[in-house]
Amino acid sequence: MRTKLSLIENSGKQLLANSIADAFFVEPLFDAMPDLVFFVKDIQGRYVVVNQTLVTRCGFKDKEQLIGRTADEVFPASLAETYREQDELVLHKGYDVKDQLELHLYPDRDPGWCLSNKIALRDKDHQIIGLCGTSRDLGMPDQRHPVYHRIAAAVRHIHTHFGETVPMVELEQITNLSVAQIERYFHKIFSLTPRQFMIKVKLDAATGMLVDRQRSITDIAATCGYQDHSAFSRMFKSTVGMTPSEYREVLLSTTKCE
């Protein structure tokens, strides 16, 4: 019964998709969302569809000023490199970027935390022809409050020292906040505890390294601060849902398919 219903649902979706005159009919809807960035890029990583929020945050007034450009032409080099690497993984490997925690700079240079997502766009032959992405603000009651910048400093420290175990006392010294305050603000911004955030940073780094088949799991574990290979594998599996070796096999099999 469920299979039959699924076929009917898919048939209805396809019929509607074939009837829509404008494939990007949702663009005006995304224009009305000031806390959400929306974009579509072609296979060369050039913007082909953007919402007004992205245009404004890039310092432009009109969409035409952004269309046809790449991240390298729009963002500071340090940010552009990260975005370009993400795009390449999606466009050339077919990987999805899911809820990637990022620190963005807005036109007034005030930092803001976002959760970014990117997926590949494919043609009828399942070949990648571009990507679609969103970046949603993770706001606080007042992003200009001094505490916001203190937490940003703590996050930078965690990212810089992802190969170590960062004790809470260091975060206290950096932020001049108590442990309870740090816990509260981390949860307010990221919906994560500091410990959960540290694990996420480590595993984000690990998943990136697993793409390199020349690196051993033991070496990756040590680089991410796990001297015990087994502890790293247990943590990886409990968070990602599979062991590092299994995850690598998925990456390599995906690469072969592409």
Side-chain angles (χ1 to χ4, degrees), residues 174-208:
I174 292 170
T175 62
N176 198 28
L177 297 170
S178 68
V179 171
Q181 289 174 313
I182 294 172
E183 294 271 356
R184 183 167 67 252
Y185 282 111
F186 258 82
H187 194 271
K188 190 181 292 289
I189 298 172
F190 310 118
S191 298
L192 300 170
T193 66
R195 173 174 167 72
Q196 289 172 325
F197 185 86
M198 292 176 199
I199 291 173
K200 184 180 186 304
V201 170
K202 287 177 181 290
L203 295 186
D204 281 344
T207 54

Side-chain angles (χ1 to χ4, degrees), residues 133-203:
T134 62
S135 187
R136 178 173 58 84
D137 292 352
L138 291 179
M140 289 179 62
D142 181 5
Q143 294 186 359
R144 299 183 186 278
H145 194 285
V147 170
Y148 190 83
H149 299 280
R150 296 185 194 180
I151 296 300
V155 167
R156 285 194 295 270
H157 184 75
I158 292 172
H159 274 284
T160 302
H161 298 84
F162 73 89
E164 307 170 14
T165 299
V166 178
M168 288 299 294
V169 65
E170 287 187 13
L171 301 186
E172 286 182 286
Q173 294 169 351
I174 292 170
T175 62
N176 198 28
L177 297 170
S178 68
V179 171
Q181 289 174 313
I182 294 172
E183 294 271 356
R184 183 167 67 252
Y185 282 111
F186 258 82
H187 194 271
K188 190 181 292 289
I189 298 172
F190 310 118
S191 298
L192 300 170
T193 66
R195 173 174 167 72
Q196 289 172 325
F197 185 86
M198 292 176 199
I199 291 173
K200 184 180 186 304
V201 170
K202 287 177 181 290
L203 295 186

Side-chain angles (χ1 to χ4, degrees), residues 118-132:
K118 294 180 181 178
I119 60 172
L121 297 177
R122 300 175 184 269
D123 61 17
K124 293 181 179 180
D125 296 321
H126 206 60
Q127 297 300 307
I128 296 175
I129 57 175
L131 65 82
C132 178

